[in-house]
Amino acid sequence: MKILLIEDEPTVADFIVNGFVSANHKCEHHADGQSGLDAALNSQFDVIILDRMLPELEGMEVLSKLRSMQVHTPVLILSAKNQVEDRVTGLRGGADDYLTKPFAFDELLARTEILATRNSQESPANTEIKVGELTLNLIERTATRGQKSIDLQSKEFKLLEYLMLNHSKIITRTMLLEKVWEYNFDPQTNVIDVHISRLRNKIDKGFETPMITTIRGAGYCLKPAEA
């Protein structure tokens, strides 16, 4: 992965750059909005991580200029502005994701990896998602595991689609709330636990190897069943 980081706080920038380098990814850093915008326009990146409060050119201006120039590189806004209206403004302004400071690098890495692969996975020509013996047909809205047909409700289908698109990665509760339920806050309900439990019962029941696992203290992960 090649990441463009536009962040003016040296400590935060060093933390992020070192994290991506340790994870064997390339990360180019710019400390102001204008130089970051120039870099985004002149080079190819898999993901852009963009702070909102920047010198020279504010983050939302950078994002607006990128989208107006038809640059569709996924953008993750990383900001200390953590109110719901701030997140909504960022997402409606063209960002693909929004993560507030302070943050755990593992979550930033997971979100960035998901953004980097989303475009090819969500191509209109791709009408099926396959993970091992599990198949999701996006046109017919059907699911099968091996020879077993799986009956899914609408929200279960959307949840499984997100897990399969990001298979083998740890998906946090926050990510599921944002991407499946479209909540920009935690409503403090057990809705995720209930749906994961129902989905696990439908996907894994009757099979020797479970595909959906709970990662204690982190989230959930869907992996291909071992042969």
Side-chain angles (χ1 to χ4, degrees):
M1 239 185 349
K2 185 180 179 182
I3 301 124
L4 172 61
L5 171 65
I6 311 175
E7 167 64 62
D8 66 325
E9 295 183 41
T11 302
V12 175
D14 288 345
F15 172 68
I16 294 173
V17 170
N18 290 335
F20 279 116
V21 170
S22 296
N24 297 314
H25 299 301
K26 296 179 180 179
C27 186
E28 180 177 325
H29 171 233
H30 291 267
D32 67 82
Q34 187 59 60
S35 65
L37 175 62
D38 292 341
L41 294 175
N42 291 300
S43 299
Q44 293 291 323
F45 296 93
D46 296 302
V47 178
I48 298 170
I49 299 175
L50 176 65
D51 188 16
R52 283 192 61 170
M53 302 178 67
L54 292 166
E56 303 296 334
L57 198 63
E58 199 268 341
M60 291 305 297
E61 293 182 72
V62 173
L63 179 58
S64 177
K65 289 180 181 294
L66 287 173
R67 295 312 187 223
S68 68
M69 296 177 185
Q70 301 301 308
V71 176
H72 299 298
T73 306
V75 172
L76 183 151
I77 290 180
L78 187 64
S79 176
K81 293 187 174 183
N82 58 7
Q83 298 299 311
V84 172
E85 54 266 31
D86 296 320
R87 299 163 67 89
V88 170
T89 298
L91 293 169
R92 285 181 174 169
D96 299 271
D97 203 351
Y98 196 112
L99 183 62
T100 58
K101 301 174 182 177
F103 60 92
F105 179 77
D106 284 347
E107 180 167 5
L108 175 63
L109 177 61
R111 288 173 179 262
T112 305
E113 289 174 338
I114 287 169
L115 290 177
T117 57
R118 178 180 295 170
N119 288 344
S120 60
Q121 291 173 325
E122 294 184 350
S123 169
N126 187 4
T127 61
E128 284 190 344
I129 307 172
K130 292 186 178 182
V131 179
E133 59 186 352
L134 183 62
T135 301
L136 199 66
N137 189 301
L138 303 179
I139 302 300
E140 298 178 2
R141 309 290 289 181
T142 58
T144 56
R145 179 172 177 181
Q147 300 302 313
K148 177 185 176 182
S149 179
I150 301 167
D151 182 28
L152 297 175
Q153 297 180 2
S154 176
K155 191 63 72 174
E156 293 169 345
F157 189 95
K158 190 173 182 180
L159 174 59
L160 181 58
E161 178 183 4
Y162 188 74
L163 290 172
M164 290 180 69
L165 283 172
N166 302 291
H167 69 88
S168 303
K169 300 183 178 72
I170 296 175
I171 306 301
T172 68
R173 291 175 58 87
T174 299
M175 294 161 75
L176 290 177
L177 285 169
E178 292 177 356
K179 304 305 181 183
V180 178
W181 277 268
E182 299 181 352
Y183 292 158
N184 291 310
F185 63 98
D186 189 342
Q188 301 296 314
T189 73
N190 66 343
V191 62
I192 292 179
D193 302 312
V194 170
H195 279 78
I196 287 287
S197 178
R198 290 175 180 171
L199 190 58
R200 181 183 283 122
N201 187 57
K202 293 181 178 183
I203 298 299
D204 291 334
K205 187 175 182 179
F207 292 90
E208 183 177 351
T209 305
M211 295 185 70
I212 301 174
T213 58
T214 299
I215 311 300
R216 188 177 297 274
Y220 306 94
C221 185
L222 183 144
K223 293 183 179 180
E226 295 180 359

